[in-house]
Amino acid sequence: MSAAGVAALLWGLSCGASALWRYSSNSPNYHIFSSRSTIKLEYEGTLFSEWSVPGTCSMKNKRSPKTELRCPPGIQIIKPIVTGPDLEEERYLSVDSSHTCFLWYYKVINFVHNLTQVIVIWIYDPENADPSELLWNANEPSLNSIILTKQLATLGQTPIIYTILRRKVYFPHTRMKNGTWHISVPMTAGDMLKEIRGNQVAFQDCFIADFLFLLTVPLLTIPEIPGSLPISSPRGSQLMADWYDCVLSFVVVVADMETFQTNDSFRTWTRVRVPPNILTDDERHSVSDMNLSQDGIFFLINGILYVKSFHEFTRLGRNVDLPDGGIIGITSRKWCWVRYLMKAKRGRSSMAIWTENEVYLGYTGLKFVKIITTENLKKLLNISPATTLTIHNVEYTAHPLELALLLNYCVTCTVSKKVYLVIYNEDSKEWAHQDFALDVAIDSFLIPRFLYSAMPEFILWDKHRIYYYYHNLTITGVLQTPTESGNLSRLSDNSIIHDVFTDYFGNIVVKMENNIMFYFKINIRDAVKLHLWTNSTIKSVTSMNAWGQVYLIYVFENGTIHPQEYPLKLEAESIAFQRKEKCPYIAFHNNIFTVFYFLDKGQNLSVWAQIVYPENVGLYIIVESYGPKILEQKEQVHYEIASGYCTKTMTVTFSQNVNYEAVDDYFKLQHQNTGLLLVQIRPSEYARTCPRSQNVFQVAVGCDGNKFIAVKGFNKKECLRHDFIYIIEKSFLRNRPSKNLRVRYNWKEYGCPLRLDFREKFHPLLQLYDDNGFVEDVGVNFIVWEIHGRDDYTFNNTMKKSGCLNEAQTWKSMTTLNKHLPLEDAWGPESKCLPGRLAPLSADTPVLQCSSFELFPLYEDL
């Protein structure tokens, strides 16, 4: 449904509610809001008289509740004039002077048979586009878009697809088709964040904005089976929503009459229903919690967990190692980490389930494991067994491997209780008691939400207040408001907190049940009330779309659901202008282009950040890390001042200095010095008007599982594969068997044989690759062995000729010493020189100069 259609529905359902007004534009997510944009105004209410707008703006009809206007660049004060004593609130709309006028439009065609996706791209002008393009359901470009695309292509415009996580670039096919470009990309779940970029080409002084979007493998919604019945929350309940942490467009919403699902942020949607005769009518309308996972949609009903998958609706309990009842909560991850380093073999969980006294983790494939009980937690916290300790709430943190538990603690348990916090690391399986204790009333219930931060930072809320815990829990308090001492209910007609929205940019929106909203950012200790956007009679919930922007989801009494974009940035700027708030710095830049870095042995990582601020303000850059102490950190700061502005540039280098030579246990030392760190770089001061609070990224120290070595010259494509068998004479084998060895060449594993002249020496060159291609030549010592046990090879050098002072380890000595081990384990990095093994060199002690790959002497006559 179009924005106008949603507005008409909202207006029709607003009878009896307080009046309000809002605006919209043709650009998705208000991406372009400039002097060229058409601003659409709409007033909900019965007392409208006319619009009050600056004289520099041009308006179609100032006396119509729905009209359009255009304004020059700058802050434009707009409000409706109404009859009666009450005044409507005015907005300070920030109209940009940008030369960005056009946008990329894309459509995806999936080819499952070869796991590729073809992205069809064209250029469109939001102010001159077809309705189907504005609604993002166009199958082909409109006539205006075809003309615009061809004109810009003639001027040299060509799009590319750039992937943010893996930093790969994909180019269009050679020729345009009907005014569109086609770009083929592989289907992937690990490189889903993509951006359409173009050349700096202008048409009539207008450029095209780069377009960030989310593209993963196709995710299908669960089909609705005829005869199935609705499943919902109790009548009168507020909406519940959940989405995949890494696929924001896949959302499930539970209302008090139906459950809805979408894979495109509710541009299209279907209902989720369940088979008859499994639940009673009361049970079907008693959903108290819901979670979305790869295994399906989980519903919590009367303390029992159910899962709805493509094929069935199942009750979960002892059959999957969960309790048959008494479950009080379920949760899943909120922050997306596509890549992370985990040393444990099980992998990380996808959801958590808890009762008053037990916590379970859920894994893909409906596998569940109990990780802790309150009896064990009492021992961990050194609490007397006679006291009462129960699980209050559970939430995943922003760390990709950690989970937080809020615990109720009391002795008499009549008036008040203490709430404690412990954090569990799924990799190390360690519990850490945090410096956190909160005294609350015995009947208080708190909901935690961990913020996108390297350090443990979170907010808590009850029905009326928000509690904040910043900077590794060192800065705490109650979120303040201009009046009422932080009691949000008193500022919203005695409504209570319904939901809290957080995003990757530090924005936090508190939505009350009557749709009044408050706004603040991470590290900010006070909130402001936003302009009224939705009337109190509509049920709504906030969500994040595929572009990472907040939008509102409305569910209407007729059983339909509709999304509406919400201009959070513009609304926040309007309030900030009224309050005369300013960001303390002018600019904050850095070269952190990814959220995941791998450090292998001998490598280091250098990043820089720069802050520009007015003279005498005294800002600086803070670097914080969270995780095992396995890296050294060096900082260098460069300072400049000119024309009343200061510039500070900080360079941070992470490195590791561990000596692995002659250690007692090589692999133990390696395990101790590998792990995952979260790092954040932020300014020392911050405000609601600053664009982004901090940059968060991972540093994984260890071996990158995506790296591999290959011998230069070998490939797996440039030869004709056939059934190739060769014979090794028994006299050439180590154990002198009674028969010759018959070997079948493994084409899949080894690829095409390399043709060499047997009269020439062969010294293989090892090369390092990752999923992006060639990295570097391997310049370290390595070992080779003949996997079938041949011993008829000779050496072309000796240790003495190579400059060795004493006899080093040799293949013969190591295989003799480790006869009980397979050949591939006889000699490796864990092998160290033994006392007494060093001896003076003889002239003929051989040196093996080859590589750690498997050699096959294949002669022309074989």
Side-chain angles (χ1 to χ4, degrees):
M1 181 178 288
S2 66
V6 175
L9 267 175
L10 295 174
W11 188 87
L13 295 170
S14 65
C15 297
S18 58
L20 58 90
W21 70 278
R22 56 181 164 258
Y23 55 94
S24 62
S25 76
N26 291 326
S27 176
N29 300 299
Y30 299 82
H31 192 72
I32 300 175
F33 200 80
S34 66
S35 56
R36 193 174 177 274
S37 303
T38 299
I39 303 173
K40 300 176 181 179
L41 303 178
E42 52 181 308
Y43 177 86
E44 285 185 11
T46 58
L47 302 177
F48 177 81
S49 177
E50 63 179 37
W51 293 98
S52 171
V53 299
T56 54
C57 297
S58 60
M59 177 175 283
K60 272 191 175 181
N61 184 356
K62 65 183 302 183
R63 297 189 180 276
S64 171
K66 295 182 180 180
T67 189
E68 297 178 359
L69 79 155
R70 295 176 187 264
C71 292
I75 302 297
Q76 309 297 338
I77 304 175
I78 301 172
K79 70 173 183 178
I81 298 174
V82 296
T83 59
D86 296 331
L87 298 176
E88 290 293 336
E89 59 182 349
E90 59 187 10
R91 282 182 167 92
Y92 296 77
L93 293 186
S94 177
V95 179
D96 198 3
S97 61
S98 171
H99 285 276
T100 300
C101 312
F102 309 135
L103 294 172
W104 297 105
Y105 192 101
Y106 75 93
K107 176 191 171 188
V108 179
I109 304 174
N110 297 303
F111 293 94
V112 181
H113 68 283
N114 62 358
L115 299 179
T116 61
Q117 294 169 304
V118 174
I119 305 175
V120 183
I121 300 173
W122 66 85
I123 304 166
Y124 78 107
D125 180 359
E127 300 303 318
N128 295 284
D130 272 9
S132 61
E133 291 175 317
L134 297 179
L135 292 174
W136 276 85
N137 57 18
N139 292 319
E140 58 185 17
S142 63
L143 179 59
N144 285 340
S145 298
I146 291 175
I147 295 172
L148 179 63
T149 302
K150 289 184 176 180
Q151 180 64 49
L152 281 161
T154 303
L155 296 173
Q157 185 59 265
T158 304
I160 62 167
I161 298 292
Y162 176 80
T163 67
I164 304 298
L165 299 177
R166 299 287 175 85
R167 291 178 284 180
K168 294 184 177 180
V169 179
Y170 298 94
F171 297 92
H173 301 172
T174 54
R175 299 178 62 184
M176 293 182 67
K177 298 180 181 178
N178 301 321
T180 62
W181 292 277
H182 291 64
I183 302 179
S184 297
V185 300
M187 284 186 185
T188 175
D191 200 14
M192 59 187 69
L193 198 58
K194 298 175 172 64
E195 188 173 45
I196 305 176
R197 297 179 176 180
N199 303 323
Q200 291 297 314
V201 175
F203 176 63
Q204 296 181 348
D205 294 329
C206 281
F207 293 89
I208 310 169
D210 293 341
F211 196 82
L212 187 70
F213 66 103
L214 193 71
L215 180 63
T216 183
V217 296
L219 295 175
L220 303 178
T221 55
I222 298 175
E224 183 180 336
I225 300 174
S228 56
L229 301 174
I231 184 169
S232 69
S233 57
R235 191 66 182 171
S237 300
Q238 293 294 315
L239 303 182
M240 290 183 283
D242 193 33
W243 53 86
Y244 281 139
D245 55 349
C246 290
V247 187
L248 302 174
S249 58
F250 203 105
V251 190
V252 174
V253 171
V254 178
D256 61 358
M257 86 287 287
E258 288 278 4
T259 296
F260 307 89
Q261 62 178 338
T262 180
N263 57 10
D264 57 7
S265 299
F266 285 105
R267 286 204 294 267
T268 61
W269 53 271
T270 57
R271 294 177 177 87
V272 178
R273 294 191 167 188
V274 297
N277 305 320
I278 295 180
L279 300 173
T280 66
D281 288 346
D282 288 342
E283 288 173 332
R284 283 192 300 103
H285 301 294
S286 299
V287 175
S288 59
D289 208 347
M290 176 272 301
N291 258 315
L292 185 59
S293 135
Q294 291 183 0
D295 292 312
I297 305 170
F298 291 86
F299 295 98
L300 183 59
I301 301 173
N302 298 336
I304 301 171
L305 193 62
Y306 298 82
V307 61
K308 170 66 176 174
S309 65
F310 270 85
H311 308 292
E312 57 187 355
F313 180 71
T314 309
R315 174 174 173 166
L316 303 177
R318 293 180 185 176
N319 56 327
V320 291
D321 300 320
L322 284 175
D324 287 325
I327 297 173
I328 60 175
I330 55 177
T331 190
S332 57
R333 299 185 185 275
K334 300 297 186 294
W335 302 112
C336 176
W337 294 105
V338 175
R339 299 183 68 187
Y340 51 88
L341 177 66
M342 189 171 187
K343 295 184 283 186
K345 294 182 179 180
R346 174 178 285 277
R348 69 171 188 165
S349 62
S350 59
M351 66 181 299
I353 306 100
W354 66 96
T355 66
E356 279 194 348
N357 301 298
E358 298 172 329
V359 178
Y360 298 79
L361 292 184
Y363 302 86
T364 303
L366 295 180
K367 297 178 181 179
F368 300 92
V369 176
K370 184 197 298 184
I371 60 168
I372 198 73
T373 64
T374 50
E375 292 301 316
N376 293 330
L377 285 168
K378 285 181 181 180
K379 298 175 184 177
L380 174 70
L381 300 174
N382 197 22
I383 292 176
S384 169
T387 58
T388 300
L389 186 72
T390 59
I391 296 168
H392 183 90
N393 215 325
V394 178
E395 180 78 357
Y396 283 99
T397 72
H399 192 288
L401 304 177
E402 291 190 345
L403 178 78
L405 273 62
L406 289 178
L407 306 173
N408 295 319
Y409 168 76
C410 56
V411 179
T412 60
C413 303
T414 56
V415 179
S416 64
K417 62 184 177 182
K418 281 187 178 293
V419 179
Y420 291 131
L421 174 68
V422 293
I423 291 181
Y424 175 68
N425 187 290
E426 292 190 55
D427 197 17
S428 66
K429 294 181 171 54
E430 295 178 349
W431 293 89
H433 181 205
Q434 304 298 306
D435 185 14
F436 172 90
L438 181 64
D439 291 304
V440 296
I442 193 67
D443 59 348
S444 294
F445 182 71
L446 301 171
I447 301 174
R449 180 66 49 82
F450 278 81
L451 306 176
Y452 186 64
S453 169
M455 316 299 290
E457 298 183 317
F458 64 97
I459 55 175
L460 289 172
W461 67 90
D462 54 22
K463 291 182 178 181
H464 314 292
R465 286 182 171 86
I466 302 285
Y467 304 84
Y468 60 82
Y469 296 86
Y470 298 146
H471 300 169
N472 202 12
L473 315 186
T474 59
I475 297 178
T476 66
V478 176
L479 188 72
Q480 294 299 302
T481 51
T483 59
E484 304 299 344
S485 301
N487 190 318
L488 303 183
S489 294
R490 293 177 183 171
L491 295 171
S492 54
D493 302 326
N494 295 318
S495 184
I496 62 175
I497 298 174
H498 168 217
D499 192 25
V500 176
F501 169 85
T502 58
D503 67 11
Y504 292 91
F505 308 103
N507 297 305
I508 305 173
V509 177
V510 182
K511 194 193 85 66
M512 311 300 285
E513 287 190 351
N514 63 359
N515 294 322
I516 290 175
M517 293 188 288
F518 298 87
Y519 173 71
F520 64 108
K521 280 194 172 185
I522 186 173
N523 300 327
I524 302 299
R525 307 177 199 182
D526 63 294
V528 294
K529 188 176 181 180
L530 292 170
H531 301 299
L532 191 60
W533 188 266
T534 306
N535 68 68
S536 59
T537 62
I538 306 297
K539 288 188 175 179
S540 69
V541 68
T542 56
S543 187
M544 194 186 309
N545 62 23
W547 298 281
Q549 304 295 322
V550 61
Y551 72 106
L552 296 170
I553 302 169
Y554 301 117
V555 174
F556 302 108
E557 289 296 330
N558 61 2
T560 60
I561 187 168
H562 298 285
Q564 185 182 51
E565 294 172 351
Y566 178 70
L568 177 58
K569 180 175 179 290
L570 291 169
E571 293 290 272
E573 287 176 348
S574 175
I575 299 295
F577 187 84
Q578 285 178 298
R579 295 168 55 88
K580 296 180 171 55
E581 293 182 2
K582 291 185 178 181
C583 183
Y585 54 86
I586 306 301
F588 180 63
H589 301 295
N590 58 71
N591 69 335
I592 302 168
F593 301 122
T594 181
V595 295
F596 186 85
Y597 294 92
F598 236 122
L599 280 187
D600 211 335
K601 294 184 183 73
Q603 295 180 334
N604 58 49
L605 171 66
S606 291
V607 297
W608 60 261
Q610 183 181 82
I611 187 168
V612 181
Y613 57 92
E615 190 178 359
N616 298 323
V617 174
L619 300 184
Y620 52 94
I621 298 169
I622 297 175
V623 180
E624 298 166 307
S625 62
Y626 175 75
K629 306 300 181 183
I630 55 178
L631 286 179
E632 296 179 358
Q633 179 178 320
K634 294 182 180 180
E635 299 175 2
Q636 184 178 7
V637 179
H638 178 72
Y639 179 79
E640 294 180 359
I641 183 169
S643 302
Y645 291 96
C646 301
T647 302
K648 284 182 182 176
T649 305
M650 173 184 284
T651 302
V652 186
T653 301
F654 299 93
S655 61
Q656 191 177 70
N657 185 20
V658 180
N659 187 1
Y660 287 94
E661 294 183 3
V663 296
D664 292 331
D665 193 328
Y666 174 88
F667 288 113
K668 180 180 179 181
L669 182 63
Q670 179 178 260
H671 186 83
Q672 292 172 345
N673 287 280
T674 59
L676 183 67
L677 280 79
L678 261 65
V679 181
Q680 66 187 20
I681 298 180
R682 62 179 177 88
S684 58
E685 292 185 20
Y686 191 64
R688 274 183 292 266
T689 51
C690 299
R692 188 165 186 164
S693 57
Q694 55 201 20
N695 283 79
V696 181
F697 59 96
Q698 297 182 64
V699 180
V701 183
C703 182
D704 186 353
N706 293 317
K707 286 185 178 179
F708 62 94
I709 57 173
V711 182
K712 184 177 181 179
F714 285 82
N715 64 77
K716 295 188 177 182
K717 296 180 180 179
E718 298 178 1
C719 60
L720 179 63
R721 300 187 180 190
H722 57 281
D723 192 10
F724 181 29
I725 298 173
Y726 64 95
I727 305 297
I728 300 177
E729 291 285 341
K730 59 185 179 181
S731 59
F732 297 154
L733 298 173
R734 291 175 61 207
N735 299 324
R736 299 297 185 265
S738 59
K739 295 182 179 179
N740 296 335
L741 181 64
R742 189 171 183 266
V743 180
R744 182 184 300 274
Y745 184 73
N746 190 331
W747 294 89
K748 183 178 180 180
E749 183 173 357
Y750 305 121
C752 304
L754 185 63
R755 288 181 175 271
L756 297 169
D757 188 333
F758 70 92
R759 293 166 296 186
E760 296 181 0
K761 296 178 181 180
F762 173 56
H763 183 89
L765 174 63
L766 292 189
Q767 295 181 323
L768 183 65
Y769 291 82
D770 62 13
D771 51 2
N772 288 321
F774 174 76
V775 177
E776 62 183 1
D777 291 333
V778 177
V780 298
N781 297 329
F782 48 87
I783 306 165
V784 290
W785 60 91
E786 205 286 322
I787 64 172
H788 300 298
R790 297 182 70 123
D791 63 358
D792 61 327
Y793 45 77
T794 59
F795 304 94
N796 57 25
N797 207 355
T798 66
M799 292 184 186
K800 189 170 184 178
K801 290 181 180 178
S802 297
C804 298
L805 299 178
N806 294 289
E807 181 177 332
Q809 295 170 338
T810 65
W811 181 249
K812 182 178 180 181
S813 66
M814 296 308 297
T815 52
T816 302
L817 183 65
N818 299 299
K819 290 181 179 179
H820 61 290
L821 296 176
L823 288 176
E824 58 268 21
D825 296 331
W827 196 7
E830 73 281 4
S831 304
K832 64 178 189 289
C833 295
L834 301 176
R837 274 294 298 130
L838 297 180
L841 285 172
S842 63
D844 58 350
T845 307
V847 173
L848 182 62
Q849 293 186 342
C850 272
S851 65
S852 59
F853 75 108
E854 295 158 352
L855 294 174
F856 298 85
L858 306 178
Y859 301 102
E860 288 293 333
D861 57 343
L862 293 180

